[in-house]
């Protein structure tokens, strides 16, 4: 692939996250441009295209995938469509950046990974915390042995407000929220794999929806094959802001990362100390979102394997699927693919 011409990206999905990725692709990636947008809601795609100066608009993703002028695609459609879109894109010879989760079942994940491998195209998944400066530095510190052997790990995601529980897909807390934390824990415990999980979860924010299969609060205990024990927790209504943090405790020290604050400004007033907090993931982790797409373009051009690969996505999904089983059975469950 020529490095003199910009990489032409096609965006699949023009919703909230798709619009953010589209803006990043159009304005914040060196050596790439946003060349086409597809969304089943034509007005939504047209609005975003007009804002970003994109000429090509499609309502069918296959039309974009069939466009010979498109080199790679950014998938930000609803999660349940991700795997088939990855497979279709790979078969069309397009490199793929896919928002998490890459798939909902392990069979889907295997098919997506195989399709990308068969087509020899890049496949990167949107685990943005790998690109957040503090999480990346923590990972490198663990690799360098600065805290010794990891023994206890923690990752948490607390969303600022629960929107519409009636519109939430089943198991969303494991498959779409905690999937980030499962990947983060693997990232902070490099070379180790999860072998078993135990889940406690409930609908504490919207209890009326529990009998419909909705869960809004969860704590997961994970044991890794290197002996480390980890916890992942999520809640859909942190009234103080969007809260993402991590911690690794090792034999020679500890690392913590993440901060809900908007800046390091503190107001010392008569009624106490006050700080502004972030309310959106695209604000709290903006630099990481931008960095992951720049990394994707670099990998497409260089042929390097992405820092967040299809195999990483499958490993995180295997933990999520084990969590569903653990919740249903009320007991510890082994992670599929884990060593005996």
């Amino acid at each position: 692939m020529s490095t003199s011409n910009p990489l032409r990206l096609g965006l699949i999905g023009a919703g909230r996250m798709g619009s953010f990725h589209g803006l990043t692709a159009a304005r914040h990636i060196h050596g790439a441009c946003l060349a086409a947008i597809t969304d089943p809601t034509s007005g939504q795609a047209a609005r975003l295209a007009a804002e970003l100066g994109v000429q090509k608009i499609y309502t069918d993703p296959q039309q974009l995938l069939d466009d010979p002028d498109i080199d790679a695609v950014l998938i930000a459609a609803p999660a349940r469509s991700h795997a088939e879109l990855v497979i279709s894109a790979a078969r069309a010879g397009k490199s793929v950046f896919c928002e998490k989760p890459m798939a909902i079942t392990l069979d889907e994940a295997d098919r997506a990974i195989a399709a990308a491998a068969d087509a020899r195209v890049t496949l990167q998944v949107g685990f943005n915390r790998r690109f957040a400066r503090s999480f990346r530095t923590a990972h490198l510190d663990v690799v360098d042995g600065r805290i010794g052997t990891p023994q206890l790990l923690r990752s948490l995601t607390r969303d600022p407000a629960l929107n519409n529980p009636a519109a939430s897909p089943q198991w969303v807390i494991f498959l779409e929220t905690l999937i980030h934390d499962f990947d983060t824990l693997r990232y902070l415990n490099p070379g180790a794999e999860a072998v078993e999980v135990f889940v406690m979860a409930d609908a504490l924010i919207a209890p009326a929806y529990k009998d419909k299969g909705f869960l809004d609060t969860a704590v997961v205990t994970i044991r890794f094959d290197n002996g480390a024990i980890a916890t992942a927790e999520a809640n859909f209504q942190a009234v103080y802001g969007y809260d993402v943090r991590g911690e690794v405790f090792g034999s020679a020290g500890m690392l913590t990362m993440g901060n809900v604050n908007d800046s390091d400004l503190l107001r010392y007033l008569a009624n106490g100390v006050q700080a502004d907090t972030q309310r959106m993931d695209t604000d709290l982790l903006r630099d990481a979102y931008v960095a992951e797409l720049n990394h994707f373009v670099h990998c497409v051009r260089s042929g390097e394997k992405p820092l967040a690969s299809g195999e990483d996505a499958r490993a995180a999904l295997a933990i999520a699927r084990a969590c569903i089983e653990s919740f249903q059975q009320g007991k510890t469950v082994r992670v599929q693919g884990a060593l005996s």
Side-chain angles (χ1 to χ4, degrees), residues 233-253:
E233 74 169 65
N235 183 279
F236 289 159
Q237 191 155 291
V239 296
Y240 55 85
Y242 186 66
D243 191 359
V244 168
R245 285 176 281 142
E247 179 179 293
V248 187
F249 174 88
S251 58

Side-chain angles (χ1 to χ4, degrees), residues 311-335:
E311 289 81 4
D312 291 317
R314 189 200 188 280
L317 177 62
I319 300 173
R321 298 304 313 187
C323 287
I324 294 170
E325 285 187 51
S326 176
F327 177 77
Q328 290 174 321
Q329 298 175 18
K331 65 180 184 180
T332 299
V333 169
R334 290 194 64 78
V335 178

Side-chain angles (χ1 to χ4, degrees), residues 16-17 20-21 99-100 126 128-129 157-160 176 180 241-244 278-290:
R16 183 185 73 88
M17 188 52 64
F20 182 83
H21 284 319
E99 257 305 332
K100 58 76 195 170
N128 54 68
R129 291 176 209 179
T157 301
R158 296 173 184 165
D159 292 340
E176 299 187 40
H180 269 304
Y242 186 66
D243 191 359
V244 168
Q278 296 284 12
R279 303 288 162 151
M280 295 288 291
D281 51 359
T282 48
D283 292 328
L284 183 68
L285 295 164
R286 179 187 180 280
D287 291 346
Y289 279 115
V290 173

Side-chain angles (χ1 to χ4, degrees), residues 7-318:
L7 194 74
R8 295 160 300 186
L9 302 173
L11 175 66
I12 301 177
R16 183 185 73 88
M17 188 52 64
S19 295
F20 182 83
H21 284 319
L23 182 123
T24 300
R27 299 178 181 172
H28 301 294
I29 301 181
H30 177 71
C33 65
L34 185 63
I37 300 172
T38 180
D39 193 280
T41 306
S42 58
Q44 198 154 294
R47 172 197 55 76
L48 184 61
E51 177 185 346
L52 301 179
V54 175
Q55 300 302 313
K56 292 185 176 181
I57 305 169
Y58 301 110
T59 55
D60 182 350
Q62 193 59 48
Q63 293 174 301
L64 185 147
L65 296 177
D66 290 339
D67 187 335
D69 292 333
I70 300 301
D71 300 310
V73 297
L74 312 176
I75 297 174
R80 270 57 181 174
S81 66
H82 286 181
E84 292 305 323
L85 287 170
V86 170
I87 293 166
S88 296
R91 289 174 176 169
K94 316 294 187 188
S95 287
V96 182
F97 173 89
C98 182
E99 257 305 332
K100 58 76 195 170
M102 180 186 72
I104 298 301
T105 69
L106 294 178
D107 177 66
E108 285 182 344
D110 289 337
R111 290 171 54 228
I113 292 168
D118 289 345
R120 297 184 179 181
V121 297
T122 298
L123 172 57
Q124 181 177 329
V125 181
F127 290 127
N128 54 68
R129 291 176 209 179
R130 289 176 177 246
F131 299 90
R133 183 177 178 182
S134 61
F135 284 84
R136 177 65 177 161
T137 303
H139 164 82
L140 295 174
D141 279 359
V142 175
V143 170
D144 290 342
R146 296 188 70 177
I147 62 157
T149 303
Q151 296 172 342
L152 295 170
L153 301 97
R154 184 186 185 210
S155 181
L156 67 84
T157 301
R158 296 173 184 165
D159 292 340
L162 176 63
N163 293 318
N164 179 12
S168 295
Q170 190 177 27
W171 311 124
V172 66
I173 198 165
F174 302 122
L175 296 171
E176 299 187 40
T177 300
L178 280 164
I179 196 88
H180 269 304
D181 300 277
F182 302 149
D183 180 70
T184 297
L185 292 169
R186 291 185 66 249
Y187 187 57
L188 295 175
N189 193 15
E193 294 296 347
V195 294
E196 62 183 22
V197 305
F198 177 73
V199 171
M200 286 189 288
D202 209 333
L204 302 181
I205 304 164
Y209 289 88
K210 184 177 180 179
D211 61 357
K212 298 177 176 63
F214 176 74
L215 301 169
D216 53 40
T217 306
V219 176
V220 180
T221 304
I222 305 169
R223 182 178 290 277
F224 283 86
D225 59 9
N226 66 345
I229 300 171
T231 56
E233 74 169 65
N235 183 279
F236 289 159
Q237 191 155 291
V239 296
Y240 55 85
Y242 186 66
D243 191 359
V244 168
R245 285 176 281 142
E247 179 179 293
V248 187
F249 174 88
S251 58
M254 182 177 71
L255 304 167
T256 67
M257 61 231 72
N259 193 329
V260 71
N261 288 356
D262 177 56
S263 72
D264 57 7
L265 171 66
L266 293 176
R267 297 183 182 91
Y268 293 81
L269 306 173
N271 60 346
V273 181
Q274 184 263 333
D276 294 328
T277 57
Q278 296 284 12
R279 303 288 162 151
M280 295 288 291
D281 51 359
T282 48
D283 292 328
L284 183 68
L285 295 164
R286 179 187 180 280
D287 291 346
Y289 279 115
V290 173
E292 69 179 356
L293 289 193
N294 276 277
H295 178 70
F296 171 64
V297 170
H298 168 76
C299 290
V300 174
R301 290 199 176 281
S302 68
E304 294 178 20
K305 187 167 185 174
L307 291 176
S309 67
E311 289 81 4
D312 291 317
R314 189 200 188 280
L317 177 62

